Amino acid sequence: MCASSYYFLRHLFYLADCIYGQVSTQEELDDIARNLRIEVHVVDNLQFNGRKHLFRIMFENKGSHSLSGLNWKIFFYSFFIIEEEHVLSLDGNSILPGGYILNESKLRIDHAKGSLYSLTPVEDFLEIKPNTTREIRFFGSNWAISTSDIPPNWYITVDGLSPRVFESTSGDFVGNFDEPNQWKRTKSDLYNPYTPLDRFEKYKDMRKTPKKKIAIPTPKSVIHYDASETLDMHGDVNIVHNGFTNEATYLANKTTFKPVNSVVTGTINIHLSANGTMTALEGYTLEIDPLSKTISITAKTNNGIFYGVQTLLSILADGYKIPKLLIEDEPRYEFRGMHVDIARNFRPKSTLLKLLDAMATYKLNKLHLHATDDEGWRLEIKDLPELTQIGSKRCHSSSENDCLIPQLGSGPDNSTSGSGYLSIQDYQEILKYAKDRHIEVIPEVDMPGHARAAIKAMESRYKRLMKNNQKENAEKFRLFDPSDSSVYLSVQYFGDNALSPCIESTFNFVDKVVKEIKAMHDIVGTPLKIFHFGGDEVAKNAWSNSASCRKLGFNSTKRNEIRTSLKKMFAQRVANITHKHGLNLLGWEDGFSEGNGKPFDRALFPNGDVYSNAWDNVWEWGEARRAYNFANAGYKIVMSHATHLYFDHPYDPDPEERGLYWAPRFTDTFKTFGFMPDKLYENIDVSRMGAKLNRSKICGENDVNCPSLQVPENIIGMQGHLWSETVLTESNFYYMVFPRLLALAERAWHKGLWEDEISKNKRDQKMKDDWGDFTETLGDRELKRLDEMGIEYRISPPGARVSGNIAIVNGEYKSSHIEYSNDSGKIWKIVPRKWNLTDKFDVLLRTKSVDGRRSSRSVKFNPVDQEMIDYLAENLDISFNVLDNLVDTDKSFLQRISITNIGSTTILPGNWSIFFYHIRAINSLKPLLLPGCGMLLEHIAGSLYKLTPDKSTFINIDPQGQVNCQFHAKYWSVAVTDNMPNWYVWSHGTQAKTIHSTYGEDLSFIGPYDTKNKWKRYPSDRYDPFLPRTRYVMNSDVANLGDASEIVKEGTYVIPTPQYMTTDTTKSVQISALDGWVVLASSDFPKEVVLVSDFYAINISVPNQMSKIIRFIKRDISKFPTSLAKTEAYFLEVKPELHEIRVTVNSPKGAFYAVQTLKRLSVEVAKNSYRVYNIYISDAPRYDYRGMFLDVGRNFHTKEEIKVLLDFMSVYKLNKFQLHLSEDEGWRLEIPGLEELTTVGSNRCHDLKERICTASQLGSGPHKNNSGSGFYTVAEYQEILRYANDRYIQIIPEFDMPGHARAAIVSMKERKRIYDMRKNSSMAEQYLLHDPDDVSEYMSVQWFVDNAVNPCIESTYTFIDHLVTEVKAMHDGIQNLEIFSFGGDETAKGAWEKSPKCREFIANNIGIDSVSDLKEHFARRVGSIAGEKGLDISAWEDGLMHGKTPFDLTQLVPNGRKAYTSAWDNVWEKGGGDRSYRLANVGYKVILALATHLYFDHPYEPDPAERGYYWATRYTDTRKAFGFIPDNIYANADVKRNGEPLTESEICGGNTCYELAKPENIMGMMGLVWSETSRTKDQLHDRYFPRMLAVAERAWHKAKWENISKKNDRMMEINKDWTNFANRLGYRELKHLDNLGIKYRVPLPGAKMSGDTLKTNTAFPGLVVEHSQDNRTWNIGKLDGFSKTFLRTKSADGLRTSRIILVSKTTSAAISEKYSITVFVASCILSFSLL
């Protein structure tokens, strides 16, 4: 079959399948709409710093029908362009057709219009079956930070069926905004959601003793007020109206008072009187005279009388006994308005009438009714029925012949607030109602932009009439110009919302609409005075390609000029029309703007007054000047500033708060209250992102950006605004308007006395005092009045804080009633006046409305605040004690954590946790309730655990009280350093703090290991801590040869011991520049020549007749003796008789080692003058591999620390440095292209989600500033390489995997999360190291459950390939990478067993039969990757074996390549001692790293105070390492882990020991430090030194005693050799380590009584022991006649000491067992402060 036929048939079958499986009936569609649950999550805004944000949509099918086929669409809404970079044209003027296909989900996203989008399945869409879920992801432009950013009522359509709303989207379907990257817009966004504590601080900042205002708005002047005289208004009260019948009727309707024509004696009379002499048209006086029982309201106009009535009603709202007073009052501004957008979402007449009531109550007098916009036309216009028949309705319609398409969450039908209009009758009722309340209604018809509803309606009219052949009539009111092919996009993403200003029919329409609206006003006797034409936000590029406009002469090549000119022309035409009808004109400022902040010439408009709403004042945008520019140009300005007066913005910066936030992030009532309309620029406060702004920054030098107000009388008022994009219900409407409207009314009517204060600090304080009075009035009276009006104002959530164990709550208003719930809102209780907490678990808080019927949104209050965390950190005195290791043989041990409260406040249970570290698994890692202390013990990861109070059983910890948590853990703990410092405490929403009592390295919170049950691991454990006498006896084997001994004489020996050396101390040379010594230049060994020159401070010279020379001679290796035929060999001859030192070598390495030897043999006798004896040395190393291993994965050690180690290695001829760069606990090398490895994997801190760091481990604490965090940059690593290369040390980088790889896995998970957010699945999974569907249950030896990279996914090998490539590139040109070490050790049993990827892989790959084969498969793949790059590989032995069987080497590495392995796991009784031979015999290159002798993370002594782990052997001292015999592994077998002697049958499992057949494959040996307990440089040095000197000795030099077969004879010779070695260390070498800056371990002294004299010694003769009676004053020398004394050993340089031991003399038999225990206990106790 040809390919084309195949694909044709495939497509045909696919279409058939789709048709068969598609949604076909209404029943199916209804089921899907009911049962397909949709959740929308905003994943991240910050990844692209606010340029775009990621949506994650979850579909969960809970129904019985699949969502399948291709015949359906899902419609949804977005305020942001979806997939902007794929759909927006390059010029930004249009959204491209064709949509964008989400390849992963096989859905196409299409933009319909405005906020409406659709999802359509495309070929290969995978059906969503019942009981399955599907996730899709896509980007929106900019950001989404609140629930109201995602409109509701998503719906599904199928052609021929009725569309249905997904029920799940009509309610709460938007996920939580829990993280800063969800609630912040950009990385510079300073806003966070308010916490209860934030609100508490905000609310408490009000005046302590506020004074309730007489009325809101505040009267201008209260001339007299006397509360002691009152008028009781109960009984008969008459209103003498004096012709003010409307106002009298209004007052009567609000009270029980009666309107009358004249005074009624014997009653209280309210006089409404005219006073023509008053100047203020809306002013009034109000006098209450209890003596005459009269109330007088006097004004010039009905308006004034009405406002006086409102003030009286306000006074009466406090009770019917009213005080004597006299008020003189008038408004600040003539224009006190409220703008309501009923176009985006409709509000019916009833809502508007209620709003008018409230406006009247608070003396607002202008209702600006935004009746039209793109999304709807809301006012019936006579003779133009389509405006409401079509323009007022939104429904699902592709043609829009019957309705507009859905927008803003309106759904597919006209049943929501997306549809509706005011009939002529409705509007006239509103006008009449407003007139009775002295409110002017100003209708707005928004044009020429924002006119889509009108355009679509008039197009429908046009089509209807054209069908009836009524062309002239059809075109009469047409708004669309068919000649206009302009492409543009409005700010709300419409490309067809600008009516044409270039066709006459547009102005016919404007004239018709104005005439009809004016007629509606005239009929009810409320003449229309002002017509608002909108004029705002005309899209860039509108009309740019209109033939009609070009005919009128608008043909500039600058499209923006066309738009501005046409806007101006349009405004002029509208002005002429409105002027013709006797109207003034009002518009948004940009409708009258040239575009540069300058207004159109006011003379262009014939209207008596032209008004402008000054709104666009985002300070940093620089347009705030418009208000004053326009006023100065003759426009009447209504202050409408978005930063303070836009009530569609949220009340606070919380994702749960409804509203848009394009201007400020939020506008609360306080901000509106503080607006100063007379001092516009003094309102400059913060940027949109919350950064503080100052006037000088915004206004510029000499106020260039802030023109002064020259015509202040043109500022006629101010107005609040509610745009309704997010206002979907009546409750939403009231919530957004109230109580902000009261602050608006206050500022529009009353100028605060504080507004004229020059000093900002004083002004702010006075304003806050005034605000305190205002909120007191709201809480005590006004909110109650709103309740009575049925207005569901916003109730502010409460504030709360904790002081000790008392919770204090407050509300925005003093009278707020606050409730709490501790059962997730099921039962609510009133917060008591004194709220004594019984626990500190999360509670919900809410504020009740004054009438008690409603409440604020509930907020979570965590009583555990930062103050409590700080308290816990300072006052939890932690004590950790091992109680018994022998309680359960070797299975578990018993321990106790004691928690003492050393503070003064009782510690209650709550949402706080103590995080601590433990090297053992606790209770199989399952959560465990500890009944003794009522805390839940949980495993986090690895060594990290946490203790959290249990709500039911936690025991309160009173001051000085204590609780004890007792529990078992696996195995045993016999050392202080099994425990780790820096425990910490944390609660959500707080900063974690280290518990002070556990801080630092002294581990003083760890209790003593002072009984056998504590220092023994199990009953058969033979080890006890060394006693001073034990140590003395052990040290006595080593004779003190004395400083003058030839053995230790300086200049007579070198470590490591040369293969052959003779010394004649009777002859010597003295090298100095003064004596004429030079070093001859050598082209073969230039570096070494420089080393010699620098060391001796002598010159480099060319060969001549000089007699005192040091020369390098190169000789072919074939001429070396067989035993020395190695490239590193050297011959060193010091010939005093010839005044010559001769170095004969084959290579620079040999020359370098010769120089090191020469330097060590040189004795400085004066400055820059050295004596060297007559010496001959022929030397070569025993092994090619003489190594040092450092784990920086567990705890990081810096580049500078590494250099010190490299210096040591160079002196002692070690040549391989294996750097263990990755572990479960950390990744330590920057890898270009994988930044998460270091941004996440190299850091440890408290981050339970592990996005900025991995979990805290091994005592690293909650923060990053310690050894738990750190990495080498590429530059630093290359610096290490250069430093090592200069010293002929090969760096072998190791990256441990597949096990021990948690840091890498976590890092790549975070990388996946980031790229998922970027919607880049290929990049997300490119380097993934785990199978997301793997549910395998396993536990690594370090208690991780997720530390094995998956060997069955190709991305693992992509990662490794990238890693090898980048590391190799770092080495290139410095020290070429030769070996790639991949670790391979300790892969946990059970890993990958439940990995779907591995099951599939095993099924599809011949030769891989089970999970057990995967480790070898992994090793082969790594070997292949390394081999392709010309590299050998290296791994730990268990990474290359099945049990005791090595992997097939021929399958592991390509021909010619090598596989190195480190043989380590030789615990003799476990039978692993022969692995090294088994591997060598099949061709592996073996490095001996046997844990029993070469693991220097093990202790030096079996003492609990000694640092280190002890899993292989209980201890390893320097003597043991010195006695290691690498040529005969079995000869090193000495004792079991419990200390029992081993038999040969036990060593070899009852069989003949496995023999080494290929000794040439034993490449060498290395000393190792795993860094679990080495957090500091000093601790690291303590682990290595002086043991590493023994490794250097054994790796370079084979001792003669190694060939002695009889153990006793051999031991005698070892002891002799050790005596010499130990003396050399004590008298010479340790001092050299001091000079290198190495803080080696100083051995503890041995001690014994000899009569009454105390004798002491040390492991290294030459070190001094000091004694002290008081642990303060220390002495050296003989000690007699003491009862107790402290002892310590000094370092060779005298600057440091060992830890201190205490020796007590009680009887002449001083070395009794009781005495021994006493000594041990004391030494343990004293050791803690010195660890």
Side-chain angles (χ1 to χ4, degrees), residues 253-388:
N253 290 338
K254 296 286 185 180
T255 60
T256 58
F257 309 159
K258 298 176 183 177
V260 294
N261 292 320
S262 58
V263 171
V264 180
T265 57
T267 66
I268 296 171
N269 289 281
I270 300 173
H271 296 271
L272 308 182
S273 307
N275 182 351
T277 64
M278 294 179 68
T279 57
L281 293 178
E282 296 179 292
Y284 67 93
T285 60
L286 168 63
E287 183 175 12
I288 300 172
D289 183 6
L291 186 62
S292 64
K293 292 187 176 182
T294 59
I295 298 172
S296 299
I297 299 174
T298 306
K300 186 171 187 174
T301 65
N302 293 65
N303 290 15
I305 294 294
F306 183 76
Y307 298 136
V309 166
Q310 292 296 352
T311 300
L312 177 59
L313 287 171
S314 179
I315 295 168
L316 289 168
D318 282 331
Y320 268 36
K321 287 188 176 181
I322 59 178
K324 179 178 181 179
L325 60 73
L326 173 60
I327 292 173
E328 292 182 358
D329 194 14
E330 64 183 71
R332 174 186 203 165
Y333 289 125
E334 65 184 81
F335 193 114
R336 305 178 301 283
M338 182 65 207
H339 158 278
V340 178
D341 166 17
I342 61 172
R344 266 62 175 264
N345 278 292
F346 180 64
R347 296 270 67 81
K349 176 183 68 178
S350 57
T351 304
L352 297 176
L353 296 183
K354 197 177 289 187
L355 173 65
L356 289 167
D357 272 332
M359 290 175 65
T361 299
Y362 299 106
K363 305 184 178 74
L364 294 173
N365 67 346
K366 311 289 183 186
L367 174 61
H368 173 174
L369 207 55
H370 184 80
T372 76
D373 214 299
D374 296 322
E375 299 87 351
W377 182 285
R378 306 302 183 186
L379 182 58
E380 181 183 8
I381 300 296
K382 182 182 176 184
D383 300 326
L384 297 177
E386 286 83 1
L387 287 173
T388 46

Side-chain angles (χ1 to χ4, degrees), residues 840-880:
K840 291 195 174 183
F841 292 96
D842 286 353
V843 296
L844 294 179
L845 296 176
R846 68 183 188 185
T847 310
K848 296 294 288 183
S849 62
V850 175
D851 65 4
R853 296 179 182 177
R854 298 182 304 111
S855 61
S856 69
R857 58 184 174 86
S858 60
V859 292
K860 186 183 289 186
F861 173 48
N862 177 13
V864 182
D865 58 6
Q866 191 63 52
E867 184 178 318
M868 181 177 178
I869 292 299
D870 294 346
Y871 176 89
L872 293 172
E874 285 297 316
N875 295 291
L876 290 181
D877 189 26
I878 302 292
S879 175
F880 182 91

